[in-house]
């Protein structure tokens, strides 16, 4: 039996294969009436079971009553309750163990992904889900592993390939699968926030040369193209998801570590698994092309209707791709709220259906196709509060090369600050200070006496900030902040993502004063050695990193300044217009 069919028949609900063993309190996989039940080990170190003489030392089985090795099938709805065995009292229900974990991995465009992780049987089910997920080798376009201790970027690709039952009628039935819906998901290192950056399919970009792996294992390089739509970075000329990842890096400077790709089936199966998702429209919709029919106000959509909602372009705004992106972002926010609601997370059957439906529509890079890695990603994403997940679109403008623009180009006046914020792990939402769990010794660096500003001696280096920043900050410190014993020391030897202030132990009071003036965090203060300034006196070293926001602007601001850039968050419901 293949991986997708392991442990289930086509006419059996996957949730019905997992039953609660009243003797152990664990869910177990029931393969069928004649299949053996998976045993759940008892507590480590317990004595051998009296019902299993000769059991190996240190390995035990939980004792059960004769004839009760396998829990009976669950009673179907409407069936009369089973009578208790003669001479025996009804058994009290065993409480489900609190160690069961539920993990959520959401993805963008037209799909999302939920995994359930729970002790021994949860691991078995995760292995089953791993068999559902397809993998693709994209070479060095993707990272070789996933790190739980760092910020990470995953490129979410929704293709327009019409595979799957009922999808052939959606126009362009022969599509090779272009990059139709694209979201770059950035998850912060401290897991307090995330950013979902939509990339328009009609964005004009340069697609770089791309090495791809063929089905026979051979390697071939697909030649790049200049000034073409972003969606052509996948499918055309044999381009794989790695080509799309390379195109994202070339266009934005942000390198995705991994990718997750899905087709039309994902949104249909996933919304059905959660019994529908609420959406809102300001005006009644009757789109003959997508076949979306909705009354004004709030409605619940699932299956084909949910797919119509995220596909429609003619019912909202100016009927363009940018307005469709906004609708998809609103849909994703609603889907995430439904998936993390108590109604979903408290239902083991619904969670299993959700996981099985979602994973069957996914293709990922090889590094994250393993069960342990999928679980790790799910658990890391689960840490991010929905209120701190920002949905944005790359700032664009009409393509000036077209008389009647239907494509767009990156707006160089607004987009770079968005790209820099993501690269520097800066949040687009307010993150409360208590959410940033700095270690006690780091926070303590800001506590204590502060010297007078006129006693602060510091040399300033530019370590990645905009050219001229060191001189501008020097002028501010001397003329506005009273730090007259400061000087410009030129460029640092290497670029830094974050601004740092290195100081000797006897300069801690000076460091605290400068931190107060500049809004430096405790983690920016680096105990170390002093340097000698131009007057031959010991001084601290201030290195301005890429996060430096300008002379006189405090670095303690929790949000990135993005004037003119629309954004929304996953916790708020919105109506499409």
């Amino acid at each position: 039996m293949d991986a997708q069919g392991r442990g289930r028949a086509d006419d059996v609900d996957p949730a019905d294969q997992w039953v609660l063993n009243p003797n152990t309190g664990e869910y177990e996989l029931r393969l069928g009436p004649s299949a053996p039940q998976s045993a759940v080990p008892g507590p480590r170190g317990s004595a051998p079971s009296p019902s299993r003489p000769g059991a190996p030392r240190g390995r035990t089985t939980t004792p059960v009553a004769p004839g009760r090795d396998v829990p009976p099938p669950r009673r179907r709805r409407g069936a009369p309750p089973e009578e208790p065995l003669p001479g025996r009292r009804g058994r009290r229900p065993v409480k489900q163990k609190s160690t069961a974990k539920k993990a959520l991995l959401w993805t963008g465009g037209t799909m999302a992904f939920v995994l359930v992780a729970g002790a021994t049987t949860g691991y078995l089910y995760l292995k089953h889900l791993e068999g559902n997920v397809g993998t693709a080798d994209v070479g060095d376009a993707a990272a070789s592993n996933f790190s739980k201790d760092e910020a990470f970027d995953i490129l979410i690709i929704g293709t327009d390939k019409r595979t799957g039952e009922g999808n052939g009628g959606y126009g362009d039935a022969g599509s090779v699968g272009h990059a139709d819906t694209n979201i770059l998901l950035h998850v912060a290192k401290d897991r307090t926030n995330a950013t979902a950056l939509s990339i328009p399919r009609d964005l004009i970009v340069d697609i770089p040369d791309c090495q791809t792996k063929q089905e026979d294992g051979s390697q071939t390089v697909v030649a790049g193209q200049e000034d073409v739509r972003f969606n052509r970075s996948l499918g055309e000329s044999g381009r794989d998801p790695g080509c799309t990842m390379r195109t994202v890096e070339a266009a934005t400077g942000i390198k995705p570590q991994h990718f997750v790709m899905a087709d039309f089936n994902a949104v249909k199966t996933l919304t059905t698994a959660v019994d529908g998702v609420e959406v809102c429209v300001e005006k009644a919709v009757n789109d003959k092309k997508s076949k979306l029919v909705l009354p004004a106000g709030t409605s619940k959509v699932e299956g084909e209707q949910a797919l119509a909602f995220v596909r429609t372009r003619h019912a909202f705004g100016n009927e363009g791709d940018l307005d469709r992106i906004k609708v998809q972002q609103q849909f994703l926010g609603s889907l995430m709220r439904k998936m993390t609601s108590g109604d979903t997370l408290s239902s083991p059957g619904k969670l299993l259906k959700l996981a099985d439906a979602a994973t069957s529509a996914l293709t990922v890079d090889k590094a994250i196709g393993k069960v342990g890695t999928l679980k790790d990603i799910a658990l890391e994403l689960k840490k991010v509060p929905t209120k701190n997940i920002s949905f944005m679109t790359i700032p664009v403008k009409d393509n000036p090369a077209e008389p009647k623009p239907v494509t767009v180009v990156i707006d160089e006046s607004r987009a770079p600050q968005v790209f820099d914020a993501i690269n520097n792990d800066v949040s687009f939402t307010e993150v409360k200070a208590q959410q940033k769990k700095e270690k006690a010794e780091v926070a303590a660096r800001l506590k204590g006496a502060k010297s007078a500003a006129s006693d602060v001696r510091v040399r300033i280096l530019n370590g990645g900030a905009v050219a001229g920043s060191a001189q501008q900050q020097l002028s501010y410190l001397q003329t506005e902040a009273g730090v007259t014993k400061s000087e410009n020391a030129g460029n640092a030897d290497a670029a830094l993502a974050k601004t740092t202030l290195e100081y000797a132990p006897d300069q801690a009071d000076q460091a605290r004063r400068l931190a107060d003036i500049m809004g430096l965090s405790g983690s920016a203060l680096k105990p170390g050695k002093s340097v000698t300034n131009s007057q031959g006196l010991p001084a601290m070293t201030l290195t301005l990193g890429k996060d430096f926001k300008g002379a006189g602007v405090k670095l303690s601001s929790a949000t990135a300044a993005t004037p003119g850039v629309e954004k929304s968050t996953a916790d708020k419901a919105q109506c499409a217009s």
Side-chain angles (χ1 to χ4, degrees):
M1 185 177 292
D2 63 20
Q4 293 192 12
R6 186 184 304 121
R8 73 163 192 253
D10 291 340
D11 58 347
V12 177
D13 186 333
D16 289 337
Q17 298 175 254
W18 292 81
V19 295
L20 181 68
N21 188 330
N23 301 309
T24 65
E26 293 284 0
Y27 279 95
E28 297 177 355
L29 178 64
R30 186 179 68 235
L31 300 180
S34 61
Q37 187 72 17
S38 56
V40 178
R44 183 174 296 178
S46 59
S49 168
S51 65
R52 292 286 305 277
R57 186 180 302 275
R59 186 173 180 182
T60 67
T61 56
T62 304
V64 296
R68 299 288 293 182
D69 285 344
V70 180
R74 293 185 296 176
R75 176 171 57 89
R76 295 185 177 276
R77 292 183 180 177
E82 296 178 1
E83 293 293 328
L85 295 175
R88 297 183 64 181
R89 295 182 181 179
R91 187 182 299 272
R92 291 185 179 181
V94 180
K95 292 183 178 179
Q96 186 176 352
K97 291 188 177 181
S98 60
T99 54
K101 306 169 187 174
K102 301 178 183 71
L104 166 68
L105 167 57
W106 70 270
T107 59
T110 59
M111 43 75 71
F113 173 29
V114 171
L115 294 176
V116 181
T120 305
T121 54
Y123 177 81
L124 293 176
Y125 195 69
L126 283 171
K127 290 295 289 183
H128 160 75
L129 295 180
E130 179 182 310
N132 284 353
V133 180
T135 60
D137 185 355
V138 295
D140 60 4
S144 58
N145 55 50
F146 171 74
S147 174
K148 295 189 290 184
D149 301 320
E150 300 295 333
F152 60 91
D153 299 279
I154 298 180
L155 179 62
I156 314 304
I157 307 171
T159 77
D160 58 4
K161 198 168 186 178
R162 270 67 170 170
T163 54
E165 183 179 355
N167 296 331
Y170 294 132
D172 194 15
S175 173
V176 293
H178 296 99
D180 189 57
T181 300
N182 311 277
I183 292 184
L184 180 64
L185 171 64
H186 172 82
V187 180
K189 182 176 181 178
D190 61 7
R191 307 303 187 243
T192 61
N193 66 91
T195 301
L197 182 67
S198 292
I199 305 172
R201 69 174 188 176
D202 294 331
L203 177 68
I204 296 300
V205 295
D206 292 340
I207 300 176
D209 293 345
C210 173
Q211 187 174 64
T212 61
K213 190 171 185 178
Q214 306 303 300
E215 292 184 1
D216 61 3
S218 63
Q219 302 280 346
T220 185
V221 175
V222 180
Q225 288 179 281
E226 294 183 354
D227 296 330
V228 294
R229 299 187 190 211
F230 182 88
N231 68 338
R232 296 175 65 179
S233 64
L234 178 69
E236 190 167 307
S237 302
R239 293 189 177 106
D240 64 13
C243 300
T244 309
M245 297 172 74
R246 297 178 196 275
T247 303
V248 170
E249 182 179 9
T252 68
I254 304 169
K255 180 177 175 58
Q257 287 88 42
H258 306 285
F259 82 87
V260 176
M261 183 170 65
D263 56 24
F264 280 4
N265 279 338
V267 69
K268 294 198 295 186
T269 56
L270 194 62
T271 53
T272 300
V274 295
D275 296 331
V277 173
E278 283 194 352
V279 297
C280 180
V281 294
E282 290 186 356
K283 300 177 181 179
V285 175
N286 187 356
D287 184 358
K288 294 181 180 179
K289 292 190 176 182
S290 69
K291 298 180 176 58
L292 178 65
V293 179
L294 288 177
T298 301
S299 302
K300 182 185 287 188
V301 297
E302 64 178 277
E304 293 288 348
Q305 193 178 32
L307 179 60
F309 185 82
V310 298
R311 288 187 64 245
T312 186
R313 294 205 309 172
H314 302 280
F316 307 115
N318 63 5
E319 303 185 5
D321 190 47
L322 296 180
D323 286 302
R324 184 177 69 157
I325 286 175
K326 294 177 185 177
V327 172
Q328 290 173 344
Q329 291 173 345
Q330 294 163 14
F331 175 84
L332 281 174
S334 180
L335 177 61
M336 292 173 63
R337 292 191 297 274
K338 183 64 177 287
M339 292 169 69
T340 56
S341 68
D343 177 58
T344 300
L345 295 180
S346 63
S347 171
K350 188 175 291 186
L351 280 170
L352 294 178
K353 289 182 181 179
L354 188 58
D356 202 58
T359 54
S360 297
L362 297 182
T363 299
V364 302
D365 59 276
K366 292 185 66 175
I368 63 174
K370 296 297 182 182
V371 60
T373 311
L374 291 173
K375 184 183 71 173
D376 289 343
I377 293 177
L379 293 174
E380 293 306 307
L381 288 170
K382 186 175 180 288
K383 297 175 183 178
V384 182
T386 55
K387 67 178 181 179
N388 290 333
I389 300 174
S390 300
F391 289 102
M392 305 175 64
T393 302
I394 289 181
V396 296
K397 60 184 180 181
D398 288 341
N399 185 359
E402 295 177 346
K404 295 182 179 180
V406 292
T407 61
V408 293
V409 296
I410 290 177
D411 186 341
E412 295 296 344
S413 67
R414 296 181 298 145
Q417 58 191 326
V418 174
F419 302 154
D420 288 345
I422 293 175
N423 263 328
N424 293 320
D425 202 22
V426 178
S427 172
F428 290 98
T429 59
E430 290 289 347
V431 179
K432 294 182 180 179
Q434 58 264 32
Q435 289 178 306
K436 294 185 174 295
K437 299 178 180 179
E438 294 184 340
K439 295 180 180 179
E441 62 270 20
V442 172
R445 294 172 190 168
L446 298 174
K447 297 179 180 179
K450 300 181 181 70
S451 67
S454 58
D455 292 331
V456 174
R457 292 190 297 271
V458 61
R459 302 180 80 235
I460 306 171
L461 294 170
N462 189 333
V466 175
S469 293
Q471 184 59 42
Q472 293 170 9
Q473 182 65 9
L474 173 66
S475 298
Y476 168 78
L477 290 177
Q478 290 185 340
T479 61
E480 302 292 334
V483 184
T484 55
K485 298 175 182 177
S486 52
E487 61 186 36
N488 184 352
N491 292 327
D493 293 334
L496 300 178
K498 304 287 185 180
T499 296
T500 62
L501 176 63
E502 184 177 359
Y503 60 97
D506 61 351
Q507 296 171 318
D509 54 346
Q510 296 183 45
R512 286 190 284 268
R513 172 58 64 193
L514 190 58
D516 184 56
I517 293 172
M518 293 187 60
L520 297 175
S521 65
S523 60
L525 273 59
K526 306 294 183 182
K529 299 179 180 180
S530 64
V531 293
T532 302
N533 65 10
S534 57
Q535 282 77 43
L537 298 173
M540 302 181 295
T541 300
L542 173 67
T543 305
L544 305 180
K546 294 179 180 179
D547 64 335
F548 182 69
K549 300 179 180 180
V553 181
K554 291 196 173 186
L555 284 127
S556 55
S557 174
T559 60
T562 53
V565 178
E566 291 187 40
K567 50 183 177 282
S568 61
T569 53
D571 63 319
K572 297 178 181 178
Q574 293 181 308
C575 287
S577 58

